[in-house]
Amino acid sequence: MLYYKTLTMLIVAISVSIFITACTDPTNGPAQTTNSTQQAPTPVLTVYKSASCGCCGLWATNMDTNGFKTISVNRDNLTGFKALKGIQPRYQSCHTALSREGFVFEGHVPAKFIKQFLEEKPEGAIGLSVPGMPVGSPGMEQGDQFTPYKVVLLRADGSVSNYAEVNSLKEQN
């Protein structure tokens, strides 16, 4: 009799486990419902920077106030890291941010262009760059001072193209 009770309990446990898995696994189709009012998860950017760079922290704060969650990682030598990520020296800046998908955002790229890029995910692209440290770009604010700059699309094959031109403070938002 004990054998049958144990066997019955095992069958019930397996059945419950299968039912729970089927109801919670999104690959199993319509068992999971979605609410049209649910928002997409907050995009996360891991920011690799020097501990002594203040503008990197200001840029991360700008990203946080514009819909991102940033995680800062201080590194002593970023040059090798940037090279591993495919960022050529002429397109480098002070910090490199990585999205969950592995896209790179080099330097003071405005949040609106990162959001646009993540929605579009251009084929063959590894990310965006704002080379150097243009005055007035996010994290490089100097009152009303502003230097026009370009946002560059970086491709896996090493080629680049202009993604956007920013000619005023207003165009960054």
Side-chain angles (χ1 to χ4, degrees):
M1 187 66 157
L2 181 61
Y3 171 77
Y4 290 111
K5 283 184 179 181
T6 304
L7 183 59
T8 302
M9 289 174 42
L10 180 62
I11 292 170
V12 168
I14 291 171
S15 298
V16 168
S17 175
I18 291 171
F19 176 77
I20 290 171
T21 301
C23 289
T24 59
D25 185 354
T27 61
N28 284 332
Q32 185 165 22
T33 61
T34 58
N35 182 347
S36 61
T37 61
Q38 287 179 336
Q39 294 184 359
T42 301
V44 175
L45 296 174
T46 303
V47 184
Y48 295 88
K49 65 180 197 64
S50 168
S52 63
C53 187
C55 67
C56 299
L58 294 172
W59 181 83
T61 299
N62 181 281
M63 294 300 108
D64 289 335
T65 59
N66 282 286
F68 289 91
K69 177 184 183 322
T70 58
I71 301 166
S72 293
V73 177
N74 293 328
R75 295 186 80 155
D76 291 330
N77 182 0
L78 291 168
T79 305
F81 177 75
K82 292 171 187 286
L84 284 173
K85 296 300 175 187
I87 306 165
Q88 298 172 36
R90 66 179 168 207
Y91 300 111
Q92 293 180 7
S93 184
C94 54
H95 61 268
T96 303
L98 297 180
S99 70
R100 284 183 179 143
E101 303 91 346
F103 291 114
V104 298
F105 300 101
E106 179 68 13
H108 296 269
V109 181
K112 81 175 201 177
F113 297 117
I114 296 175
K115 289 176 185 176
Q116 180 180 327
F117 178 93
L118 291 173
E119 287 175 12
E120 295 172 348
K121 295 181 179 146
E123 188 173 336
I126 63 168
L128 299 174
S129 171
V130 170
M133 299 165 68
V135 172
S137 62
M140 291 295 298
E141 293 87 354
Q142 300 288 323
D144 290 340
Q145 295 181 34
F146 182 81
T147 303
Y149 62 92
K150 294 180 181 178
V151 179
V152 179
L153 177 71
L154 306 171
R155 291 192 186 86
D157 66 6
S159 65
V160 299
S161 63
N162 285 342
Y163 188 77
E165 289 189 28
V166 182
N167 295 304
S168 71
L169 287 169
K170 290 181 183 179
E171 291 179 21
Q172 301 182 123
N173 302 323

